[in-house]
């Protein structure tokens, strides 16, 4: 175990390539712009006041599939976690973003402003979303060879379209206290109440912030599982043999030689990241970590069925609204 605990990752800053603040949005609208952390550096922030936490102690009990042959995980495409079933896919995020753009344009037109908010397609959203491929550090060999530790190129800014608005247009977009603008109205219309479901009555409204906290906690807890700690030791030995003696995966990605804020990817960075991913798979680190993480998520789902039913119903309702005549809903 390193001084940071577990597999060597600390709860820390964004130098490891994480995208966005964390999976802790207050509402699904925020989830669309930062739906996933990209490395384990997103490990849980202190939960906001009033957000209950499902915390499971780490034990020495074996995790099914954590030690190799029984685990079917052989590549990043297999890194599908139980919580993923309750979150929007890239295609669904694109659908909701397009619906919101249509609502904004319609509302602003009615107030005398011609605007064209971007309407991303599913392919563009998916291309900029590494999914779970960076949840345990960089783990995609192909991307490591091409991009080193850098994230995939970002999609065009979703806010650049409003940078040149006049003062009047900005006021109509942002609104004022007691007078919602088009942005708030569009969000509200795509956040309509979910279909009534007795299974969700006790849980109250869908709590996306709670899910974000649990998501960050399960990956942090999994890092302390004995099988993951043992695999991390094998990763260190593998990296040392390859000529890259780092104490932990985070230390490799946070090496100050890599400028992750620049578009330039150097040959040494690509070589190191390629060795890193190869060692992660050969050591069993990705497989063990994923198995422990998935087990922790299944335990949370089993402990909170009403909460997850509420999340499922809320997402379904939002998708139904987004797929409907979005351009007309502000007329009501």
């Amino acid at each position: 175990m390193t001084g940071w605990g577990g597999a060597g990752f600390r709860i820390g800053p964004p130098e490891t390539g994480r995208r966005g603040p964390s999976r802790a949005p207050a509402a699904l609208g925020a989830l669309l712009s930062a739906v996933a952390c990209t490395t384990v550096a997103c490990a849980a922030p202190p939960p906001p006041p009033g957000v209950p936490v499902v915390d499971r102690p780490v034990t020495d009990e074996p995790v099914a599939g954590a030690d190799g042959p029984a685990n079917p995980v052989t590549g990043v495409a297999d890194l599908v976690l139980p919580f993923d079933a309750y979150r929007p896919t890239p295609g669904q995020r694109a659908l909701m973003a397009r619906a919101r753009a249509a609502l904004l344009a319609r509302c602003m037109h009615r107030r005398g402003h011609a605007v064209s908010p971007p309407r991303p397609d599913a392919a563009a959203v998916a291309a900029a979303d590494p999914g779970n491929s960076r949840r345990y550090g960089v783990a995609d060999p192909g991307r490591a060879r091409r991009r080193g530790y850098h994230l995939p190129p970002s999609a065009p800014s979703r806010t650049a379209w409003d940078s040149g608005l006049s003062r009047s247009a900005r006021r109509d977009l942002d609104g004022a206290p007691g007078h919602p603008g088009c942005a708030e109205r569009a969000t509200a219309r795509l956040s309509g109440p979910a279909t009534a479901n007795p299974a969700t009555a006790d849980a109250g409204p869908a709590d996306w912030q709670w899910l974000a906290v649990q998501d960050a906690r399960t990956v942090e807890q999994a890092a302390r599982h004995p099988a993951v700690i043992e695999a991390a030791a094998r990763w260190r030995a593998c990296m040392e043999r390859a000529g890259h003696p780092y104490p932990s995966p985070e230390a490799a990605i946070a090496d100050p030689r890599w400028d992750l804020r620049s578009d330039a990817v150097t040959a040494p960075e690509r070589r190191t990241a390629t060795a890193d991913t190869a060692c992660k798979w050969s050591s069993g680190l990705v497989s063990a970590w994923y198995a422990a993480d998935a087990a922790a998520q299944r335990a949370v789902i089993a402990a909170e069925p009403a909460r997850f039913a509420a999340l499922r119903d809320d997402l379904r309702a939002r998708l139904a609204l987004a797929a409907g005549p979005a351009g007309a809903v502000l007329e009501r």
Side-chain angles (χ1 to χ4, degrees):
M1 180 180 291
T2 71
W4 291 322
F9 283 95
R10 57 193 165 99
I11 302 173
E15 77 270 11
T16 54
R18 74 183 252 195
R19 180 191 57 209
S22 75
R23 279 183 174 165
L28 186 60
L31 187 67
L32 302 182
S33 60
V35 73
C37 290
T38 54
T39 74
V40 74
C42 289
V51 177
V53 171
V54 176
D55 209 348
R56 297 277 184 265
V58 175
T59 71
D60 290 341
E61 295 182 7
V63 171
D67 297 317
N71 189 357
V73 176
T74 60
V76 292
D78 298 325
L79 300 179
V80 180
L81 288 160
F83 284 2
D84 292 342
Y86 298 89
R87 285 192 287 257
T89 66
Q92 291 169 340
R93 296 203 306 273
L95 171 67
M96 289 187 277
R98 290 195 303 273
R100 188 172 188 276
L103 288 168
L104 280 173
R106 175 89 174 205
C107 178
M108 293 293 283
H109 177 75
R110 291 175 61 226
R111 299 184 184 194
H113 311 290
V115 298
S116 299
R119 304 187 185 194
D121 59 69
V125 174
D129 182 4
N132 292 326
S133 69
R134 294 175 67 102
R135 186 170 173 87
Y136 314 112
V138 176
D140 186 328
R143 282 185 174 173
R145 287 191 296 271
R146 296 188 303 271
R147 299 280 301 167
Y149 289 111
H150 278 62
L151 285 166
S154 299
S157 171
R158 296 180 182 176
T159 58
W161 66 272
D162 66 354
S163 59
L165 292 181
S166 67
R167 183 176 299 180
S168 172
R170 171 62 63 183
R171 183 171 57 250
D172 285 336
L173 177 66
D174 296 339
H179 300 280
C182 288
E184 183 178 345
R185 287 168 64 82
T187 297
R189 287 300 186 182
L190 291 174
S191 306
T195 303
N197 185 336
T200 68
D202 294 336
D207 193 343
W208 295 97
Q209 186 168 329
W210 177 85
L211 179 63
V213 172
Q214 306 312 317
D215 183 73
R217 285 183 174 272
T218 64
V219 71
E220 181 190 1
Q221 292 166 1
R224 301 195 298 269
H225 192 280
V228 180
I229 295 172
E230 292 172 6
R234 294 192 295 271
W235 175 90
R236 286 193 295 273
C238 176
M239 286 292 281
E240 187 166 356
R241 289 193 299 271
H244 307 287
Y246 292 101
S248 70
E250 189 202 41
I253 196 173
D255 190 319
R257 292 184 296 162
W258 329 136
D259 184 359
L260 301 184
R261 292 172 175 80
S262 166
D263 290 335
V265 184
T266 65
E269 179 187 339
R270 286 194 293 267
R271 286 195 297 269
T272 304
T274 299
D276 185 348
T277 56
C279 287
K280 278 201 181 82
W281 288 103
S282 66
S283 66
L285 179 56
V286 176
S287 298
W289 207 335
Y290 166 80
D293 194 10
Q297 291 195 2
R298 286 193 295 271
V300 176
I301 293 171
E304 298 284 351
R307 283 184 179 274
F308 282 92
L311 291 168
R312 178 199 61 217
D313 290 349
D314 184 72
L315 178 57
R316 287 176 176 171
R318 291 171 187 270
L319 291 171
L321 286 169
V329 294
L330 283 182
E331 298 290 350
R332 301 172 189 167

